[in-house]
Amino acid sequence: MESIPSREPAAPTELPPKYYLDYFLFLVTFVERLYGDILNTNEKEFIRGFRALSEDAQCLFVRFSNRRGLFFRTSKLKYNEIEDIPAALYELEDTGFIKELSALHESYALEILNLFTKEEWIKLAPPTELSLKPLKKPDLIRYLNHTYTFGLLVNQINTAPEETVIKVGFEVEVMMLKFLFFGNRHADMTEFVVRDLGKVNFERYRDDAYTARFPTRQDAEDKLMVSLTAEQFYEMQEAATPPEEIFDWFMNWQASVHTLGEVAQPGYIKLINRIGMYLERQKLPEQALTVYQLTDHIPSRERRVRLLHRMGYLEEAIALCEAIAQDPQNADERFFALDFREKIANAKKRVKKSVTRFLQDSESVQISIDFKYRVEQGVVEYFINSGRVAVHAENYPWRGIFGLIFWDIIYDTNVQAIHHPLQRMPSDFYQPDFYRKRVTQIRQRLSELETSEKIAQILESTFIEKFGIANVLVDWNEVLLELVKLMALNLTPMQLRAILLEMATNLRENTRGFPDLMVWDEKGLELIEVKSPTDHLSSQQLHWMHFMADLGVKARVLRVEWKNAPEPTNHQAI
């Protein structure tokens, strides 16, 4: 057996002083190569102008673009690696990369006012008979914003000694370049830092292996529009915008949206469901139902059934239940449709859910109350005391075995789902297309899993070869190899192939819900789902229980009953 690579931490890495400029230049060059034909005139002009800047000016601009906000106080700038900050500022202003604060920036009033402390505003504010000292800063900012014209406040700032506020330009162009590179709005330039500090080791590819995430300009603009709309929704919630206004805003927005491309659809669907759930929480069922009707993607159909039932539309609720039962998208929909249809049909009778019936019919075990807050560990010790080996594993080894068996297929660049060198998973990983695009490769790999020994050998060789490289399914823990080999040697190849295929067809849903414990002895492996007295069985957990039973895999739910619990005390009212 080959030795497992050392897990000793590497020596700390020191980044060069202008590392951030190297990253930005790499990003720009990469985007030019992959998306040069869809960049617009402004973006191309920005790139040409940026490359013409001196190195110091480039550094200062990138420093600005990597920070939050668009406005900065020049008196607060301190970057040791930039030799002459005033000269760099002059160059950026002369070339249009920054502009001095003016009354034209009124739409950014709150950001600008918040650049200064409360104490500074007490000195900067126009003369007033009101004492500003007792006010907290947020109240002071509101007072200034509502009492004085923005032009007057700008004049107060600009006439302050040694105080200059500037606005960074080309924010739209920089945003689009970063968006084209990362493919989303939540990743940022710190991903480069994480890689180069050795925090994450990414899979490596040839320079010509990367493909464009966005085939057309419209695809990129669609996904960016959906992302920005989602951000606006969160901002409206934080600003306590009335929910009726949020509903009107969203319905007007979506009515104006053309048919979105494939790349933007997942984000659009997620936004629909999040707004629907928000409106439900705000006690606006009719509005929530209207929003949910924009998609059939989970959990929209379940939420619509519940709302229809609550509003008294029983026939419509039953019809939708039947549609879900005929083509469920996951275990939640499958069992919900069965249970809720029965609930409507037997309105006068208390109907138990499928998961509840299964849980109540399960075996029980007595565990010390000392394990009340770590119930799985209590059951582990119960099995150890009975002479068996047990570990609390849950989804971890199942995800790991899938990631190791199919590693090269997951990260196959021929599928055109790898778009930049900092990507932790293919862009289609949690989409239905993942299986459809790789079905031939997956089935071929499964056919190669002929014996338990062959499976264990594949797992071990991949584990050693890829050790430490980021894989969304593989958590590099010392016991992972031991657990996945245990599974390979205790499940038949047929059983393991069936489980892996079930996972592959729906990675988003079927990489969760596996039993809590792996328990084994000389008689073989058993999977145990542990449930405390207050815990519930999920639909996905029930799905795997049925699936394992059909395969002949030993799996069961074990209900915990507390022993050594204190006797209940009767308290008299005083």
Side-chain angles (χ1 to χ4, degrees), residues 396-402 404 455-456 459-460 463 479-489 496 518:
Y396 161 66
W398 300 97
R399 291 167 59 87
I401 200 169
F402 189 98
L404 293 171
I455 298 169
L459 289 168
E460 185 167 334
F463 183 92
V479 300
L480 175 62
L481 182 57
E482 179 183 346
L483 291 179
V484 295
K485 287 177 68 177
L486 174 77
M487 293 157 64
L489 297 173
L496 195 53
M518 294 173 62

Side-chain angles (χ1 to χ4, degrees), residues 64-72 111:
F64 288 145
S65 68
N66 286 344
R67 288 172 58 180
R68 288 183 178 274
L70 296 174
F71 292 82
F72 299 93
E111 179 185 344

Side-chain angles (χ1 to χ4, degrees), residues 43-65:
E43 290 150 6
K44 292 176 180 177
E45 287 180 357
F46 163 76
I47 293 172
R48 281 194 296 269
F50 180 80
R51 286 193 171 128
L53 295 172
S54 67
E55 187 173 280
D56 269 3
Q58 288 180 342
C59 284
L60 188 54
F61 181 83
V62 174
R63 283 289 196 184
F64 288 145
S65 68

Side-chain angles (χ1 to χ4, degrees), residues 4-287:
I4 296 175
S6 170
R7 292 185 61 87
E8 295 199 3
T13 302
E14 279 197 27
L15 298 176
K18 297 179 179 179
Y19 66 91
Y20 55 89
L21 178 59
D22 294 336
Y23 297 154
F24 190 77
L25 289 171
F26 174 86
L27 181 147
V28 168
T29 302
F30 188 94
V31 170
E32 268 189 315
R33 179 166 59 82
L34 222 56
Y35 297 103
D37 57 338
I38 70 169
L39 294 178
N40 65 26
T41 301
N42 290 342
E43 290 150 6
K44 292 176 180 177
E45 287 180 357
F46 163 76
I47 293 172
R48 281 194 296 269
F50 180 80
R51 286 193 171 128
L53 295 172
S54 67
E55 187 173 280
D56 269 3
Q58 288 180 342
C59 284
L60 188 54
F61 181 83
V62 174
R63 283 289 196 184
F64 288 145
S65 68
N66 286 344
R67 288 172 58 180
R68 288 183 178 274
L70 296 174
F71 292 82
F72 299 93
R73 297 168 62 179
T74 59
S75 63
K76 300 294 183 180
L77 300 177
K78 290 182 176 64
Y79 300 116
N80 294 332
E81 77 280 4
I82 300 177
E83 294 182 7
D84 192 341
I85 289 179
L89 285 168
Y90 178 82
E91 183 180 351
L92 290 174
E93 185 176 6
D94 187 53
T95 52
F97 278 77
I98 63 173
K99 293 182 178 179
E100 279 198 28
L101 175 65
S102 75
L104 297 176
H105 297 136
E106 185 169 2
S107 58
Y108 303 98
L110 289 178
E111 179 185 344
I112 295 162
L113 297 181
N114 275 294
L115 290 174
F116 298 88
T117 66
K118 171 185 170 179
E119 290 71 23
E120 287 172 326
W121 268 120
I122 289 173
K123 296 178 182 178
L124 284 172
T128 176
E129 294 181 0
L130 175 68
S131 174
L132 302 180
K133 289 184 179 181
L135 297 177
K136 294 182 179 179
K137 183 180 176 181
D139 297 324
L140 175 58
I141 296 298
R142 279 193 291 270
Y143 169 77
L144 294 171
N145 195 35
H146 289 94
T147 305
Y148 303 105
T149 65
F150 181 71
L152 177 58
L153 295 173
V154 167
N155 185 64
Q156 295 297 111
I157 294 171
N158 288 340
T159 55
E162 299 181 3
E163 193 63 74
T164 302
V165 173
I166 57 95
K167 177 189 175 294
V168 181
F170 293 105
E171 64 270 24
V172 173
E173 289 74 19
V174 171
M175 176 183 65
M176 179 56 86
L177 292 176
K178 291 181 178 179
F179 185 77
L180 289 172
F181 181 85
F182 290 110
N184 57 65
R185 286 273 294 156
H186 60 261
D188 58 33
M189 303 301 285
T190 58
E191 295 288 315
F192 287 97
V193 178
V194 167
R195 178 197 65 185
D196 290 349
L197 288 178
K199 304 296 184 183
V200 178
N201 185 14
F202 293 95
E203 186 70 90
R204 297 184 181 276
Y205 308 94
R206 299 188 323 271
D207 287 344
D208 61 354
Y210 302 104
T211 55
R213 177 79 171 97
F214 308 105
T216 68
R217 178 77 187 194
Q218 191 64 58
D219 287 312
E221 290 182 350
D222 282 353
K223 184 168 172 59
L224 179 58
M225 174 185 64
V226 171
S227 299
L228 293 173
T229 304
E231 292 175 21
Q232 188 176 354
F233 167 55
Y234 299 137
E235 289 169 2
M236 293 174 77
Q237 288 183 84
E238 290 182 2
T241 305
E244 294 85 356
E245 288 186 23
I246 291 180
F247 170 74
D248 291 339
W249 158 80
F250 178 69
M251 294 306 296
N252 288 333
W253 173 79
Q254 70 83 30
S256 67
V257 173
H258 58 268
T259 301
L260 295 172
E262 181 182 338
V263 179
Q265 281 294 331
Y268 178 58
I269 290 166
K270 184 182 293 186
L271 179 59
I272 289 170
N273 280 315
R274 286 183 175 173
I275 291 179
M277 290 177 185
Y278 164 77
L279 293 170
E280 273 197 86
R281 291 195 300 271
Q282 299 300 314
K283 312 298 182 188
L284 296 175
E286 292 185 4
Q287 291 89 333

